Amino acid sequence: MKFKNCDEKTVNRLFELISSLENAEDVRVLLSDLCTEHEIEQMAQRIRAAELLLEGKTYASVKENCDISSATLSRVSRCVQYGEGYRKFLK
């Protein structure tokens, strides 16, 4: 993964910090400090969209159930098909 505005050491520190969290409450506390409410909502919607796509739902059905743009849904769909994270963690 390449990042434009941040060096790899700094990004890896973020990943290490997240991996050190012990439970959902720790994640909530950290994300509440790191992200806006809107950013958290967007991430949650992406996860919900991925779950629906993994269940075999159509784009139209996902759009009805999630407040997500077509462009974002397309990206989530590509990640579901070709990425690793959604399939690994959304079983």
Side-chain angles (χ1 to χ4, degrees), residues 1-63:
M1 201 179 253
K2 285 189 170 188
F3 300 93
K4 293 180 186 178
N5 301 317
C6 202
D7 63 78
E8 188 173 340
K9 182 178 177 182
T10 302
V11 173
N12 284 337
R13 178 65 186 121
L14 170 66
F15 296 155
E16 290 167 4
L17 179 63
I18 292 170
S19 71
S20 74
L21 302 175
E22 294 185 17
N23 54 53
E25 177 62 14
D26 287 351
V27 175
R28 187 194 65 74
V29 169
L30 180 62
L31 289 182
S32 293
D33 285 351
L34 283 175
C35 304
T36 65
E37 286 181 22
H38 184 67
E39 290 168 330
I40 293 170
E41 289 170 354
Q42 288 177 320
M43 287 186 282
Q45 288 293 357
R46 289 175 185 184
I47 290 168
R48 183 66 185 132
E51 289 172 333
L52 293 170
L53 290 171
L54 287 166
E55 291 173 8
K57 304 293 186 203
T58 64
Y59 266 43
S61 176
V62 173
K63 292 232 359 123

